[in-house]
Amino acid sequence: MGRYLVAATDVAAGDLILREDALVAGPCQNAKPVCLGCLKPFDGENYIRSSESEDCHRCMGCQWPMCSPACPGLQDAKGLTGHTDEECAALSAAGPSGRRVMNLQARTPLYNVIVPLRILLLEKQDPVRWKAVQRMQSHDEVRRKIASVWQANQLGVVDRIRGEFGLQHFSEEEIHSVCGILEVNAFEVGDGLRGLYDRAFLLAHDCTPNTSHADDETRALAVRASVDIPKGSLITLSYAYTIQGTLKRREHLKESKFFDCCCPRCSDPTELGTMCSALVCPRCGRPAVLPVDPLKADSPWRCSAGLADATPWPAVKQAVKQAALPAAPCPGYEMPAAQARELIDKLTDEAEAIDPNDVAGLEAFVAKYSPRLHPNHYHLLGAKHSLSQVYGKVHGYLIHQLPDDLLERKLNICKDILRVFDILEPGVSRLRGITLYELHAPIMILTTRHFEARSISRKDLRLRLREVAACLEQAAHILSFEPECSSEGAMGRAAQEALQRVRQWQ
């Protein structure tokens, strides 16, 4: 595993494990333009025009877009996110390079060079930070063998720094290593930004992590325990999106972090009993088609229904038992790995093409693929997660306008996905906090309507109010750890206010 962190003492869920400023921060690859000083995107009223003919103010030297002449990130003394004289000089070496950034709303590879350049400049600007970055792995040997990765960095970063900017004193090997350090160790922070951190990079990966993390407007990163962590236990976070199937998670980790994940979840075909990748068997009709060996990309997929006694996988036994599947085994259905991958890729393309605010499109996707996928399949979970948030918030589906059947739909969706989140992202996790907040609303409104219609008793009313209060109490606690300026932080405050009102009604 290399280097990693363990708990020096018992850590309780919600405890702060570490908080630290970024060693360096800046735009992600192929990001939309941001101010090089404060790193804010050019949207809304977030910037000023320098003249009628200019879309925005530009640095007097390199001509890269800036939010204003008074940007607090100009000459930032910390050098964390600021646009320094040294950076300006480097970007200006071959002329006003920022003039090539014309469309403030379009993604551009020009910004790929900013963070690598900021790291390289640390060697003279801040040797202490430079030394801290050099502790991080770049996996150059592995990355060099992946032509697409190496060539993209060569053209997009190395050739620009050494060619366009004329900074020949940085060697190709040095720049490639910096690119590798970023790919392996950077955290995504803010809106389309990435940063390196002195200690957080040591956290090991696990597809069911025991920590969660959040960053604030200063790019400071806070890592908290999401569940109780006993003394001596490994401290983990996820480098991948947890609500994704094993095949896609391991593919992402291999391509972007350059290792093969063999964590307990990846090693278990049922993904800890959640069946998040299971397909419906076309022969017996049961949602139990799983990879025989999930750690092998070329493993065939086989129907596991009726194999509760024969399988070596404890989670399969439990999943079969819970689903009350017939004891008779399926008559030998098997799917080649290539066919399974083709289906998953097709589902991925369709899911990504849906606007996350399109209620009808999301519901159509769920209806179309529910007969072919396990109810907990991660593509259905993703669509349901979006529906849990848009029901009640988008035009035509505002919460107090929803009829009872759609309120019931939102309520059931929230409960369905919470059962999976409780396993894959348990405890103090952002996903659980948001979903618990979304769950309280349909329960509260349905309860109010039913009581006013005298279709429930006062006893039922008290029971339902207790359920609402429990949702809000957990949501307020979880989301209280989110940055105040974030939408999740605002949701946490709203949950606390709603909880106070519910307690008054009780």
Side-chain angles (χ1 to χ4, degrees):
M1 287 184 62
R3 297 168 292 174
Y4 54 90
L5 300 180
V6 297
T9 185
D10 290 339
V11 183
D15 281 358
L16 180 68
I17 293 174
L18 64 86
R19 182 191 295 275
E20 58 183 331
D21 291 327
L23 293 168
V24 65
C28 286
Q29 291 183 311
N30 298 317
K32 287 185 178 181
V34 296
C35 172
L36 291 190
C38 62
L39 298 181
K40 290 181 180 178
F42 294 98
D43 54 9
E45 301 299 323
N46 199 31
Y47 61 96
I48 64 171
R49 295 174 181 271
S50 57
S51 68
E52 288 296 325
S53 61
E54 290 282 5
D55 285 340
C56 64
H57 174 74
R58 290 179 181 267
C59 172
M60 297 297 291
C62 62
Q63 296 294 299
W64 281 67
M66 303 287 291
C67 65
S68 79
C71 174
L74 282 170
Q75 297 306 314
D76 180 3
K78 291 183 179 180
L80 301 179
T81 62
H83 182 51
T84 62
D85 286 342
E86 292 84 356
E87 180 175 280
C88 184
L91 293 173
S92 303
S97 56
R99 281 292 169 189
R100 296 173 58 190
V101 181
M102 302 298 292
N103 187 342
L104 297 182
Q105 303 305 318
R107 299 183 184 278
T108 169
L110 289 171
Y111 280 83
N112 293 1
V113 77
I114 298 300
V115 185
L117 180 60
R118 288 183 172 179
I119 294 173
L120 293 165
L121 293 174
L122 284 177
E123 185 172 13
K124 290 186 177 179
Q125 282 183 320
D126 195 326
V128 173
R129 282 203 184 92
W130 170 254
K131 187 176 180 180
V133 171
Q134 295 308 300
R135 293 170 55 215
M136 303 178 187
Q137 290 183 332
S138 62
H139 290 305
D140 284 349
E141 306 79 11
V142 178
R143 293 170 52 258
R144 193 184 296 273
K145 297 175 183 177
I146 307 174
S148 58
V149 172
W150 198 263
Q151 189 66 8
N153 286 327
Q154 182 71 42
L155 298 175
V157 181
V158 177
D159 291 348
R160 280 206 170 98
I161 289 177
R162 287 174 51 82
E164 291 180 30
F165 304 146
L167 304 177
Q168 297 285 330
H169 56 286
F170 296 124
S171 69
E172 290 196 5
E173 293 74 15
E174 187 177 22
I175 301 172
H176 271 297
S177 290
V178 164
C179 290
I181 285 171
L182 279 167
E183 288 162 6
V184 173
N185 302 282
F187 285 74
E188 286 191 20
V189 295
D191 183 11
L193 305 175
R194 53 181 170 167
L196 289 177
Y197 296 85
D198 188 30
R199 294 176 294 163
F201 85 96
L202 289 166
L203 288 162
H205 165 78
D206 195 287
C207 290
T208 49
N210 56 20
T211 70
S212 59
H213 61 278
D215 59 277
D216 61 23
E217 66 275 12
T218 70
R219 319 304 163 208
L221 188 75
V223 178
R224 292 183 181 275
S226 52
V227 295
D228 293 344
I229 305 175
K231 179 180 179 179
S233 299
L234 191 68
I235 301 175
T236 63
L237 55 73
S238 178
Y239 302 168
Y241 185 42
T242 54
I243 309 304
Q244 199 172 45
T246 294
L247 186 66
K248 284 297 182 182
R249 280 195 327 279
R250 296 187 83 240
E251 194 175 80
H252 165 76
L253 292 167
K254 184 67 172 179
E255 292 175 354
S256 63
K257 301 299 182 181
F258 315 107
F259 70 90
D260 294 301
C261 184
C262 301
C263 74
R265 179 182 172 189
C266 286
S267 302
D268 178 357
T270 73
E271 301 191 43
L272 308 180
T274 62
M275 308 293 275
C276 271
S277 294
L279 312 175
V280 170
C281 177
R283 289 190 181 175
C284 71
R286 289 171 281 187
V289 177
L290 297 162
V292 174
D293 186 347
L295 299 183
K296 294 181 179 178
D298 60 352
S299 170
W301 289 49
R302 187 177 298 156
C303 182
S304 62
L307 300 181
D309 295 327
T311 176
W313 308 320
V316 169
K317 295 181 181 181
Q318 184 64 20
V320 170
K321 182 179 179 181
Q322 289 177 346
L325 296 176
C330 177
Y333 178 74
E334 186 170 294
M335 174 188 288
Q339 185 180 345
R341 181 180 293 276
E342 183 180 356
L343 173 59
I344 291 170
D345 288 343
K346 178 177 182 291
L347 289 167
T348 301
D349 290 341
E350 284 195 39
E352 291 179 350
I354 304 172
D355 186 321
N357 292 319
D358 179 5
V359 173
L362 291 166
E363 287 286 17
F365 180 86
V366 172
K368 179 179 179 181
Y369 287 109
S370 287
R372 300 181 63 183
L373 306 175
H374 189 283
N376 290 349
H377 192 280
Y378 73 94
H379 276 306
L380 296 183
L381 283 177
K384 290 178 180 178
H385 180 231
S386 295
L387 284 168
S388 73
Q389 297 181 71
V390 295
Y391 271 131
K393 293 182 181 175
V394 298
H395 180 69
Y397 297 92
L398 297 179
I399 192 68
H400 290 286
Q401 298 172 345
L402 293 180
D404 286 5
D405 61 333
L406 289 185
L407 286 170
E408 292 280 1
R409 175 66 172 155
K410 179 180 173 77
L411 185 156
N412 290 328
I413 285 173
C414 288
K415 288 188 173 181
D416 286 347
I417 62 179
L418 264 177
R419 281 191 286 269
V420 181
F421 294 169
D422 285 344
I423 297 172
L424 302 184
E425 279 209 23
V428 184
S429 78
R430 187 180 298 111
L431 272 175
R432 288 192 70 251
I434 292 171
T435 307
L436 284 162
Y437 180 77
E438 296 294 345
L439 174 58
H440 98 275
I443 300 175
M444 188 71 230
I445 295 173
L446 284 169
T447 298
T448 303
R449 289 180 184 177
H450 292 166
F451 186 70
E452 289 174 349
R454 299 184 179 181
S455 59
I456 60 172
S457 66
R458 286 184 177 275
K459 180 181 178 181
D460 290 333
L461 174 62
R462 285 193 291 269
L463 289 173
R464 293 193 189 183
L465 285 178
R466 277 203 289 270
E467 185 180 2
V468 172
C471 290
L472 288 171
E473 190 170 14
Q474 288 187 68
H477 172 67
I478 293 170
L479 299 176
S480 68
F481 299 121
E482 297 295 318
E484 289 188 5
C485 62
S486 67
S487 58
E488 294 85 1
M491 187 178 289
R493 292 190 295 275
Q496 186 61 50
E497 292 170 3
L499 178 60
Q500 291 173 1
R501 289 196 297 272
V502 170
R503 283 176 173 161
Q504 288 172 356
W505 294 333
Q506 285 179 302

